């Protein structure tokens, strides 16, 4: 689709007004046509000053027909203004670059709850499609919004409600991108360009998981589904066509490098390692420890099966000792470096747990290191106040990624060229959707006329006067005439990047045909969307 015009949507009783990107998009939202039609009518005096009291008339949602009529009537009043702002792809969220870990962990959505979150987002009045990408480093919501400003406002209020963080506080850390910028951001995320460690492979798997879960739950819409799939393609190409994944390419590998950087040189070989959690992140930590020459690691996990699988995979590289969760604190007492990577929503180590532990080995300076790569955090911030402990979380991994800046910049430039190619393909696909409704309506309009005229002709000639073969020939003749007449106009409605025709030129042709044949395509599409919202809320 074409980029949104940037105009705010005006409704009865309010003048159209453009809003800046970082304007007042907080909780004081103007009522939308959907909300007004479906939930309540804000009925104000004609010409009343802004801020004047308004009555509220509740709609009886049990009366399906009445609600549908009410919604469509409200739609008709505001549709002309509403159509000035096209549907937009938007991303709103926070990442390691914009928000501290304390805020990210409050907004984190566990993978199992992604479909539920998508369902709630799609129930918002101005949101058509949605996807949630929640990892240890980011919490991002991708949507297709009927209105940019109102969609952003609704998503922000949803984030505030689910996290308990006031909108005013969220506003200081959120980033928002629209249309091409939003799509490019996702492609960069998938390619590992937005990660703490350039080329991180884990994020590509997480983007794939969004698509996988969306396909199972049926939550992803056409635009979001295609955008994420194209992002996966871009991510794969970047990794296969550049050397971006060389070196430390995951949070787990950066965590290991950070720990080795902080350890005294004399103690790096003899430091006792403990890994708590044997999931994907924990497994990668163990792998990177083995790659760095570590010979033994203790792993604490709720079940032994995962640890056994890792041990079998790495049996020739590192000795793995399993301990149950009940021995977590006693295991920490015997460790110099503790890596934590569990899904626990409450801290595993607080000040009172750590201060009673014996000092670490003299080889590491009697100070115990906690490297916490979990979100929410597994090690309470209060532990940092102890002289006997040093605590590092995902935000501290920035130190590791400062190395080899020139090489990273060169790889990033190569990756951007690939992303631009994939972005053009996605934009061409999305632009081609813009004229599809007009093509369908024009063909349907022509077919109706052909059928009516054919029926008149057959009635005049008489049914008995024509053989079956003659009837077929006349039908094919009329169809052929219509197809040849439509060929030229329909060719000028196609803009898929395969010729030199620009999107602006194609859209001009589309609007001209809409006017000439009175198709009113945009209004019909919008009416369908509003109607779908009515039915969804009723059901």
């Amino acid at each position: 689709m074409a980029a949104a015009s940037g105009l705010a949507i005006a409704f009865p009783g309010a003048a159209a007004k453009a809003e800046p990107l970082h304007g007042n998009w907080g909780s004081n939202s103007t009522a939308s046509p959907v909300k007004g039609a479906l939930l309540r009518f804000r009925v104000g005096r004609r010409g009343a000053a802004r801020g004047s009291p308004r009555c509220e008339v509740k709609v009886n949602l049990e009366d399906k027909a009445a609600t549908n009529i009410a919604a469509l009537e409200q739609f008709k009043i505001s549709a002309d203004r509403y159509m000035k702002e096209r549907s937009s792809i938007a991303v709103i969220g926070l990442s390691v670059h914009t928000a501290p870990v304390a805020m990210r962990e409050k907004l984190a959505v566990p993978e199992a709850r992604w479909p539920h979150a998508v369902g709630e987002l799609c129930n918002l009045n101005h949101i058509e499609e949605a996807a949630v990408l929640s990892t240890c480093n980011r919490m991002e919501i991708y949507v297709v919004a009927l209105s940019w400003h109102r969609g952003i406002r609704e998503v922000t209020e949803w984030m505030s409600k689910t996290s308990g963080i006031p909108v005013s506080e969220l506003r200081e850390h959120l980033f928002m991108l629209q249309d091409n910028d939003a799509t490019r951001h996702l492609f960069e995320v998938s390619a590992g360009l937005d990660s703490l460690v350039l080329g991180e492979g884990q994020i590509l798997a997480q983007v794939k998981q969004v698509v996988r879960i969306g396909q199972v739950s049926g939550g992803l819409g056409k635009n979001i589904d295609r955008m994420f799939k194209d992002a996966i393609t871009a991510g794969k190409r970047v990794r296969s066509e550049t050397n971006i994944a060389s070196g430390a390419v995951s949070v787990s590998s950066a965590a290991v490098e950070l720990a080795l950087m902080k350890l005294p040189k004399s103690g790096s070989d003899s430091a006792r390692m403990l890994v708590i959690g044997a999931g994907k992140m924990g497994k990668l930590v163990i792998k990177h420890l083995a790659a760095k020459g570590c010979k033994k690691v203790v792993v604490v996990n709720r079940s032994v099966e995962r640890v056994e699988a890792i041990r079998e995979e790495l049996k020739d590289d590192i000795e793995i000792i399993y301990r149950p969760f009940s021995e977590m604190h006693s295991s920490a007492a015997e460790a110099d470096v503790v890596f934590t990577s569990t899904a626990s929503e409450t801290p595993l180590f607080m000040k009172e747990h750590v201060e009673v532990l014996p000092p670490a080995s003299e080889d590491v300076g009697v100070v115990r290191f906690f490297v916490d790569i979990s979100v929410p955090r597994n090690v309470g911030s209060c532990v940092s106040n102890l002289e006997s402990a040093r605590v590092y979380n995902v935000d501290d991994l920035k130190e590791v990624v400062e190395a080899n800046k020139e090489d990273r910049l060169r790889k990033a430039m190569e990756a951007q060229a690939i992303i631009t190619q994939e972005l053009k393909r996605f934009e061409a696909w999305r632009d081609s959707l813009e004229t599809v409704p007009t093509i369908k309506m024009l063909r349907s309009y022509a077919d109706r006329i052909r059928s009516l005229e054919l029926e008149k002709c057959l009635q005049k000639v008489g049914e008995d006067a024509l053989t079956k073969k003659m009837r077929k020939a006349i039908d094919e003749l009329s169809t052929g005439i219509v197809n040849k007449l439509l060929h030229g106009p329909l060719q000028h409605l196609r803009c898929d990047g395969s010729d030199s025709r620009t999107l602006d030129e194609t859209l001009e042709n589309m609007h001209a045909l809409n006017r000439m044949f009175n198709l009113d395509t945009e209004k019909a599409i919008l009416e369908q969307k509003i109607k779908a919202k009515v039915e969804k809320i009723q059901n």
Side-chain angles (χ1 to χ4, degrees):
M1 291 187 183
S5 64
L7 293 175
I9 307 170
F11 302 103
K17 176 183 176 184
E19 296 181 36
L21 177 62
H22 295 293
N24 180 18
W25 43 269
S27 57
N28 297 323
S29 60
T30 306
S32 73
V34 187
K35 196 169 194 171
L38 309 186
L39 305 182
R40 64 186 72 171
F41 288 114
R42 302 274 190 189
V43 185
R45 299 177 183 175
R46 277 183 179 272
R50 288 187 185 181
S52 59
R54 304 189 223 178
C55 327
E56 292 185 0
V57 182
K58 291 186 179 177
V59 177
N60 181 7
L61 293 180
E62 295 178 357
D63 190 342
K64 220 172 192 181
T67 307
N68 277 328
I69 293 169
L72 295 177
E73 284 302 315
Q74 184 73 359
F75 156 78
K76 288 172 185 175
I77 294 170
S78 55
D80 291 338
R81 292 172 177 175
Y82 195 74
M83 284 187 291
K84 289 179 182 178
E85 188 173 11
R86 299 181 184 279
S87 293
S88 298
I89 287 179
V91 56
I92 177 169
L94 32 76
S95 70
V96 67
H97 308 297
T98 63
V101 65
M103 178 170 283
R104 297 200 307 276
E105 63 190 6
K106 288 181 182 178
L107 280 155
V109 178
E111 192 176 288
R113 288 187 58 81
W114 286 0
H116 177 76
V118 167
E120 289 189 342
L121 288 163
C122 288
N123 281 334
L124 299 175
N125 290 337
H126 291 84
I127 302 302
E128 294 182 89
E129 306 175 24
V132 174
L133 178 59
S134 182
T135 73
C136 60
N137 282 332
R138 67 187 70 251
M139 194 289 187
E140 298 175 353
I141 296 173
Y142 293 83
V143 297
V144 173
L146 285 168
S147 158
W148 161 254
H149 293 290
R150 283 169 175 73
I152 289 293
R153 182 182 294 124
E154 288 175 355
V155 173
T156 305
E157 290 172 351
W158 178 86
M159 294 173 79
S160 174
K161 180 181 175 182
T162 55
S163 66
I165 303 172
V167 169
S168 58
E169 188 178 340
L170 274 176
R171 189 182 303 173
E172 296 175 12
H173 299 280
L174 288 176
F175 70 89
M176 294 160 286
L177 297 170
Q178 183 178 11
D179 289 322
N180 294 350
D181 291 335
T183 307
R184 179 176 284 279
H185 173 75
L186 177 61
F187 285 21
E188 289 174 351
V189 167
S190 182
L193 297 186
D194 194 63
S195 300
L196 276 178
V197 184
L198 191 72
E200 176 195 0
Q202 207 169 359
I203 187 63
L204 180 59
Q206 289 160 336
V207 172
K208 288 179 181 178
Q209 190 65 2
V210 172
V211 175
R212 213 167 1 242
I213 290 175
Q215 288 173 337
V216 173
S217 65
L220 297 186
K222 175 172 58 180
N223 290 274
I224 296 289
D225 180 71
R226 176 63 180 255
M227 182 172 69
F228 268 77
K229 285 178 178 175
D230 284 2
I232 292 168
T233 300
K236 287 179 177 177
R237 281 194 61 196
V238 165
R239 285 171 175 80
S240 64
E241 296 176 29
T242 72
N243 197 28
I244 202 168
S246 61
V249 293
S250 71
V251 170
S252 300
S253 61
V256 171
E257 289 196 14
L258 176 65
L260 296 178
M261 281 170 54
K262 297 299 181 182
L263 285 170
K265 287 185 179 180
S266 59
S268 57
D269 293 333
S270 59
R272 300 169 296 175
M273 302 292 183
L274 170 65
V275 177
I276 299 176
K280 294 177 184 176
M281 302 278 277
K283 179 180 178 179
L284 286 172
V285 167
I286 298 168
K287 280 188 170 184
H288 290 300
L289 284 171
K292 293 294 182 180
C294 180
K295 298 302 181 185
K296 184 170 76 172
V297 62
V298 176
V299 180
V300 170
N301 198 55
R302 295 192 187 280
S303 62
V304 70
E305 288 79 16
R306 282 189 176 180
V307 180
E308 289 287 0
I310 298 171
R311 182 186 288 150
E312 181 64 25
E313 185 178 341
L314 303 177
K315 58 185 175 183
D316 296 329
D317 301 322
I318 190 170
E319 180 186 356
I320 299 174
I321 300 170
Y322 168 73
R323 297 279 169 78
F325 242 87
S326 58
E327 297 180 22
M328 179 177 64
H329 291 121
S330 60
S331 298
E334 300 171 359
D336 300 316
V337 181
V338 180
F339 296 92
T340 60
S341 64
T342 77
S344 174
E345 295 184 3
T346 56
L348 304 178
F349 290 94
M350 298 296 287
K351 186 177 179 181
E352 58 268 24
H353 301 136
V354 178
E355 63 185 355
V356 297
L357 297 179
S361 303
E362 290 186 5
D363 289 343
V364 300
V366 303
V367 174
R368 183 171 283 103
F369 294 91
F370 289 86
V371 185
D372 184 5
I373 56 176
S374 305
V375 176
R377 287 172 291 182
N378 287 168
V379 181
S381 56
C382 53
V383 176
S384 301
N385 299 326
L386 296 173
E387 292 184 3
S388 61
R390 297 287 182 273
V391 180
Y392 304 97
N393 58 46
V394 288
D395 287 351
D396 297 305
L397 298 181
K398 292 174 183 176
E399 285 185 41
V400 178
V401 303
E402 287 302 313
N404 303 321
K405 276 191 174 178
E406 278 189 28
D407 187 45
R408 292 207 328 245
L409 285 173
R410 180 183 57 78
K411 293 173 184 174
M413 288 175 67
E414 293 174 9
Q416 285 291 358
I418 294 170
I419 286 172
T420 298
Q421 291 173 7
E422 294 300 327
L423 189 59
K424 283 181 178 177
R425 289 193 180 95
F426 175 76
E427 288 171 359
W429 172 81
R430 194 161 182 248
D431 289 342
S432 71
L433 298 181
E434 186 82 2
T435 58
V436 169
T438 298
I439 291 172
K440 288 181 178 178
M441 290 190 76
L442 181 57
R443 180 165 285 285
S444 177
Y445 174 75
D447 283 340
R448 283 199 306 273
I449 292 175
R450 184 190 73 84
S451 297
L452 288 171
E453 294 303 316
L454 182 61
E455 188 178 344
K456 286 181 186 177
C457 173
L458 294 176
Q459 286 176 353
K460 286 180 181 179
V461 173
E463 291 186 12
D464 299 333
L466 298 173
T467 64
K468 188 175 181 180
K469 186 176 180 180
M470 292 168 67
R471 280 173 175 272
K472 183 180 179 183
I474 294 171
D475 185 72
E476 288 176 349
L477 173 66
S478 61
T479 300
I481 292 171
V482 167
N483 287 342
K484 288 196 179 296
L485 287 173
L486 288 181
H487 178 75
L490 294 185
Q491 280 295 102
H492 284 80
L493 286 180
R494 292 188 171 93
C495 177
D496 56 6
S498 60
D499 57 29
S500 59
R501 188 177 298 115
T502 65
L503 177 62
D504 288 341
E505 182 185 341
T506 303
L507 293 180
E508 278 183 29
N509 296 334
M510 181 188 76
H511 294 312
L513 286 168
N514 276 326
R515 289 192 301 271
M516 284 189 285
F517 292 97
N518 197 28
L519 299 178
D520 210 4
T521 308
E522 291 181 347
K523 195 167 183 176
I525 294 170
L526 190 55
E527 188 168 8
Q528 286 178 352
K529 291 177 180 178
I530 301 295
K531 204 169 184 178
K533 285 286 184 182
V534 175
E535 292 171 355
K536 192 169 186 179
I537 288 178
Q538 286 178 331
N539 296 331

